[in-house]
Amino acid sequence: ANIGPPDVKVKSESGSLHVDFIGPFAEHDNWPLKKYYGSWNYRILYWKKDSSTEVTHIDTDHNSEILSQLEPWTIYCVQVQAVIPELNKTGELSEVLCEQTTHNGVTPVWIIVTVLIGSMLAIVISVPLCFFSFLYLYRLAKHVFCPSYIFPEHLKEFLSKPPSSSQDFSALPQEEHLFYDKLTVISEESKNQNDETGDEASKTTEHLQYSEQEDSD
């Protein structure tokens, strides 16, 4: 009896092709033909879509297979057929199913080098930038909340004493250590009296001089 083609499904995942297949089935009772033979295998044939001459095949006794070590972002075509080794008989090929592979999960070297250099540059730039930014903010906060002027010591001492206590101020310097000029204040009335006294004295002097002159004559 002829062995028909199996039912095949192909799924692309992580750079590989997952191939699932089942059948063929007997026509009279719809049972898998695999139940009627002692040995039963599946042969998977796959190739690149643009190069149909390079066909690779894999034999398996399971109902699924993962095709790995494929080129990423490449379209592969798949066919499956049943094989009976003890009878050296092969079944019909399934329809051709083509699927494109995705990224295989292996990061290229140039991407690793680029990421490494970018990370190093980011660290070299960000560390000094963060340091100087923190230093600037620290100085700004210190200038605002802790001004740099020096509080006078005598005011510190004055404020440190309790308000109720008597504040002792330093005594004035001794008089002997002071240097000053003597100042005499004369009132207007005293000045007039002194002027009148002076006029009378001058008149008396003139009168005496005149008397002496007459006596001499």
Side-chain angles (χ1 to χ4, degrees), residues 186-203:
I186 301 175
S187 64
E188 188 69 24
E189 183 179 357
S190 299
K191 183 178 180 182
N192 294 334
Q193 291 179 357
N194 291 336
D195 292 341
E196 292 176 357
T197 304
D199 293 340
E200 291 177 356
S202 62
K203 288 179 181 180

Side-chain angles (χ1 to χ4, degrees), residues 129-141:
L129 183 62
C130 293
F131 173 76
F132 287 111
S133 298
F134 174 78
L135 184 62
Y136 172 77
L137 293 176
Y138 171 75
R139 289 181 176 178
L140 181 62

